Amino acid sequence: PIIDANRETYTYLATSGLGSADILNVSFKIGVGMCGWVLKNERPLLFGEPDEWWMDEKTRWEEGQQSALLVPLMGKKRIIGGISGIGKIGGGSFSVHDLDVLSLFANQVSAAIENARLFQKIENNSHTLTLTNQRLQEEIQERLRIEVTLRESEERYRTLLDQATDAIFVSDMNARFIDANREACESLGYTREELLTLSLCDVDPNFETEEHVKNFWGGLSAGKTLTVESSHRCKDGSLIPVEIHIGMLEINGKPAILGIARNISERKQAEAKLAIKHSHIQSLFEVNGSGMLIVSSTRKILQVNRQFCNLFGYSHDELVGQSARILHIDQQHYEDWAPCFEEAKTGLSLTSTDYPWRRKDGTLLWCFFAGVKMQLPNGEPGVLWNVIDITERKQLEEQLRQAQKMEAIGTLAGGHRPRLQQHPDPHSRLFRAGPNQALPRRSSGCRYAADHQGCRAG
């Protein structure tokens, strides 16, 4: 048995003899059984048949044994485990001589275990040292590469400045310009000599003081860049929107700040036009006379307009983020709608159909649905549904059917037996309640309109 790292349990890590395989890798709490007593008290134990059992708890391997012999394995600082023998071959009890021999053997085993552990620790430390040295060499190589890159950058520095189409500014750590390329001078309307008398605070209105600039640059380090949007003030006072890439470099052994500014006036104008277009689309979405509903590929409600909320009696926040199941009569009704949804999501054609949905108050609302595929911002396909209330039309259709039925009954009563063609209407059969009445319970095994009518491509 060897004491575990938690010093609260011990485990049999090596066994030999009859039935020894059953105890291999089995663990017990310190103090349980004879081995536990030896590990707890750090003393040898010689137990024979005449002796009474005086431990609190024994293991099932100690039950019925006539004798036992146990000695601790002592490390340099503390006990590490023990060696035990249970049940002497041939019967009888172990002797004091047996105990002395086992104690001598235990001393040798303790030294071997300590040496093995020390060797393992050295191996681990050696591996760790190798990895650390490898990482250090990689870091040294990376730093050497950066130094070489910086030296090469300094040599090409002037050429790059003069040929670049973006405005390039170089300043010291106090935000004073120490260099600028041709594009920087021309875009701001300064000569190079004039520009080099200024600081970043004179050009960028977002940086009011040198202290402000220093605080911003505090997050920079070698090899790290920042990208910000700002504006540059020209000599005539006009402002140019710019996107600036900022990095740190070294010139003549001193740190400096490199800023590459790109004029984004055209992009800002395009963004403004896009925002106006989006506003127009949003306005059309909201002021449309019919209900508008956008659902994800998993039939989750992403957006609704005011008219849709008015039709179904929900608020915007009550619908957005919910499953479209909330608008269906029951689970079967929700599943019956799936073919129409899938047809619209594939985008093969404009999908349209008549179908009853449920208001918040539980009443039935017959609607005409026209669905079209749309790409959502996350790239997934979604469906935009245009929803029109056709409940009144359904009422008129029902009245017409009832009138035709009464006419047929009257004809039969007069002695004529015309051959009537039956046109089963799943809606009137399934939903006998009026459009403004609470929904009836669906009978078992009954299918909804989608089973009979399907989705009509229009």
Side-chain angles (χ1 to χ4, degrees), residues 152-161 170 179 249 251:
E152 293 175 351
S153 297
E154 291 174 5
E155 295 173 358
R156 297 193 299 267
Y157 170 66
R158 177 51 54 188
T159 302
L160 292 175
L161 283 180
V170 182
D179 207 347
L249 72 162
I251 298 178

Side-chain angles (χ1 to χ4, degrees), residues 157-448:
Y157 170 66
R158 177 51 54 188
T159 302
L160 292 175
L161 283 180
D162 292 337
Q163 294 181 354
T165 57
D166 290 332
I168 299 178
F169 302 86
V170 182
S171 65
D172 60 20
M173 301 306 292
N174 294 318
R176 305 293 302 183
F177 291 129
I178 58 177
D179 207 347
N181 70 342
R182 176 178 52 82
E183 178 63 24
C185 299
E186 292 181 355
S187 64
L188 298 180
Y190 292 101
T191 65
R192 185 172 183 274
E193 290 71 20
E194 289 174 330
L195 191 57
L196 296 186
T197 63
L198 304 177
S199 72
L200 180 60
C201 302
D202 298 315
V203 172
D204 196 325
N206 291 323
F207 294 95
E208 299 176 353
T209 64
E210 292 184 4
E211 191 64 29
H212 187 185
V213 176
K214 290 179 181 178
N215 292 337
F216 178 78
W217 286 346
L220 288 175
S221 61
K224 180 179 179 181
T225 61
L226 295 176
T227 301
V228 297
E229 285 191 13
S230 186
S231 58
H232 281 173
R233 183 185 294 111
C234 301
K235 186 177 181 178
D236 61 8
S238 61
L239 293 176
I240 302 174
V242 291
E243 181 182 77
I244 313 171
H245 299 274
I246 305 171
M248 184 177 290
L249 72 162
E250 189 175 284
I251 298 178
N252 298 326
K254 296 181 180 180
I257 299 298
L258 172 67
I260 303 176
R262 174 165 295 179
N263 190 328
I264 57 173
S265 298
E266 293 183 359
R267 191 179 84 186
K268 286 295 183 182
Q269 293 172 359
E271 289 176 352
K273 292 180 181 178
L274 184 62
I276 294 174
K277 183 178 180 181
H278 181 269
S279 177
H280 289 168
I281 295 175
Q282 185 64 27
S283 297
L284 291 173
F285 185 82
E286 284 297 335
V287 302
N288 195 317
S290 58
M292 304 292 287
L293 167 68
I294 300 176
V295 294
S296 69
S297 59
T298 58
R299 300 173 74 179
K300 179 180 179 181
I301 300 174
L302 302 179
Q303 189 57 275
V304 293
N305 68 350
R306 188 180 300 107
Q307 179 63 16
F308 188 90
C309 295
N310 293 338
L311 284 175
F312 289 92
Y314 289 95
S315 68
H316 178 274
D317 293 340
E318 286 177 324
L319 288 174
V320 173
Q322 296 290 330
S323 168
R325 169 68 176 81
I326 192 176
L327 300 168
H328 288 268
I329 298 170
D330 55 23
Q331 183 62 31
Q332 185 62 52
H333 188 265
Y334 174 73
E335 294 173 1
D336 289 344
W337 178 252
C340 292
F341 172 78
E342 292 298 328
E343 181 177 323
K345 189 176 71 171
T346 57
L348 298 179
S349 62
L350 176 66
T351 301
S352 62
T353 188
D354 297 348
Y355 208 66
W357 274 13
R358 184 182 63 181
R359 292 189 181 98
K360 183 179 179 179
D361 62 8
T363 57
L364 178 67
L365 181 68
W366 274 95
C367 297
F368 171 78
F369 293 88
V372 64
K373 177 184 178 182
M374 67 177 296
Q375 185 173 356
L376 302 176
N378 61 4
E380 295 182 358
V383 177
L384 171 64
W385 291 105
N386 185 282
V387 184
I388 300 175
D389 181 4
I390 59 170
T391 303
E392 185 175 352
R393 193 192 81 189
K394 286 293 181 181
Q395 289 176 331
L396 295 175
E397 290 176 355
E398 179 63 21
Q399 291 174 8
L400 179 60
R401 280 192 294 269
Q402 291 297 328
Q404 291 173 341
K405 181 178 179 181
M406 294 303 297
E407 181 181 359
I409 293 175
T411 302
L412 290 174
H416 301 283
R417 301 180 61 89
R419 182 181 179 184
L420 298 178
Q421 290 185 346
Q422 298 298 320
H423 299 281
D425 189 315
H427 307 311
S428 61
R429 179 170 60 87
L430 292 174
F431 304 102
R432 292 298 183 186
N436 295 318
Q437 296 175 344
L439 289 173
R441 180 185 298 272
R442 181 175 62 85
S443 60
S444 176
C446 194
R447 304 293 290 174
Y448 290 94

